[in-house]
Amino acid sequence: MADNTIHSIFLNTAAKHGDNIAFHYLDRTWKMITYRAFASDSKAIASCLIKKGINKGDRIAIFSENRHEWCASYLGIMIAGAIAVPIDSQLNPESVRNLLIDSESRIVFFSSKTEANVNEATTGLDIRKINLDSPDFKEICGFTPIEAIRYPETSPEDIASIIYTSGTTGIPKGVMLTHRNFCSDAEALIRVGIITKSDNVLSLLPLHHTYPFMSTFLVPLFLGAAITYS
């Protein structure tokens, strides 16, 4: 596993466990999405990003509360060969603006809950905005290119995420973490059996932190387990 990339491990799991439930989520009523459907959404997001001119190594921010669309956007960014910039959904507009500028993000995924802050944060910036709650995003998830789209080749040494420190003792600093960084940690957790493929993991802590990102996102999806957002 350590020699692979985040998206290659996930797509391999999705191919093996396509009918398994990947996510339970509350949208007025409880709903579910299978690994097959979730992988399809992730690849459609990647295809759409490439079609819109995103190149390997471009930075794309995610500014939203925990939800399965956050995860689909992240994996779409990985498949497209880009770099994800997760941002704390509770940050004020000035802080968000600083991180978007520092990371040189070209696109920001956001939600209705963070819309007002992202609109203020991006004023005057050349950043494309994609609302996870919009009809446009649903069209992106259903995007089927007429011609075949070639996804970039990604190395385990390529940067997967830029994670920003809290900034409690100074200006937030972006920590660059590779696919190998994440995959080797995930492999260690899988080896000790903290999570198994028969588990349903309740995700509570924010995904922009590496601990919940690893233990309530990557590891469950690498195993074929389920994740629940209340």
Side-chain angles (χ1 to χ4, degrees):
M1 179 184 296
D3 291 331
N4 284 311
T5 58
I6 290 170
H7 52 289
S8 66
I9 296 172
F10 162 70
L11 291 174
N12 184 55
T13 299
K16 292 179 180 177
H17 306 288
D19 293 329
N20 284 18
I21 301 303
F23 294 93
H24 300 268
Y25 61 98
L26 192 60
D27 181 13
R28 295 189 179 91
T29 60
W30 281 103
K31 297 182 179 179
M32 300 177 293
I33 183 169
T34 64
Y35 271 83
R36 182 176 294 107
F38 182 68
S40 177
D41 285 351
S42 300
K43 288 188 283 189
I45 291 168
S47 299
C48 195
L49 290 174
I50 292 171
K51 194 73 173 176
K52 292 179 183 298
I54 288 299
N55 298 307
K56 182 177 179 179
D58 284 346
R59 288 85 182 274
I60 301 177
I62 308 176
F63 180 50
S64 165
E65 71 282 2
N66 289 12
R67 50 194 294 174
H68 75 276
E69 295 94 343
W70 191 110
C71 302
S73 299
Y74 184 92
L75 286 165
I77 293 167
M78 297 297 100
I79 295 168
I83 298 170
V85 184
I87 297 178
D88 183 352
S89 64
Q90 296 184 339
L91 288 182
N92 60 45
E94 181 181 1
S95 297
V96 174
R97 183 180 181 88
N98 289 338
L99 299 189
L100 291 174
I101 293 172
D102 185 72
S103 65
E104 300 179 344
S105 291
R106 291 189 56 191
I107 293 176
V108 55
F109 288 96
F110 67 98
S111 70
S112 294
K113 291 182 179 180
T114 60
E115 183 172 12
N117 283 351
V118 83
N119 285 340
E120 185 176 341
T122 56
T123 300
L125 300 180
D126 184 20
I127 297 179
R128 181 179 175 86
K129 295 178 289 184
I130 300 177
N131 189 339
L132 301 176
D133 294 304
S134 69
D136 285 347
F137 183 75
K138 290 180 174 60
E139 287 181 13
I140 289 173
C141 287
F143 178 72
T144 304
I146 297 174
E147 71 280 8
I149 287 184
R150 292 176 62 88
Y151 299 126
E153 291 187 9
T154 308
S155 161
E157 305 307 329
D158 286 336
I159 298 169
S161 297
I162 298 176
I163 307 292
Y164 278 91
T165 60
S166 61
T168 52
T169 58
I171 298 172
K173 297 174 179 63
V175 180
M176 295 181 287
L177 297 174
T178 66
H179 285 266
R180 189 183 299 280
N181 291 147
F182 286 118
C183 293
S184 61
D185 281 356
E187 182 178 30
L189 288 173
I190 289 170
R191 281 179 177 173
V192 297
I194 292 177
I195 299 170
T196 70
K197 64 182 180 181
S198 60
D199 285 333
N200 181 3
V201 179
L202 179 63
S203 180
L204 296 173
L205 298 176
L207 289 172
H208 71 276
H209 282 302
T210 53
Y211 171 69
F213 175 84
M214 179 64 59
S215 57
T216 67
F217 174 34
L218 284 194
V219 171
L221 286 190
F222 284 1
L223 286 168
I227 301 167
T228 293
Y229 295 123
S230 61

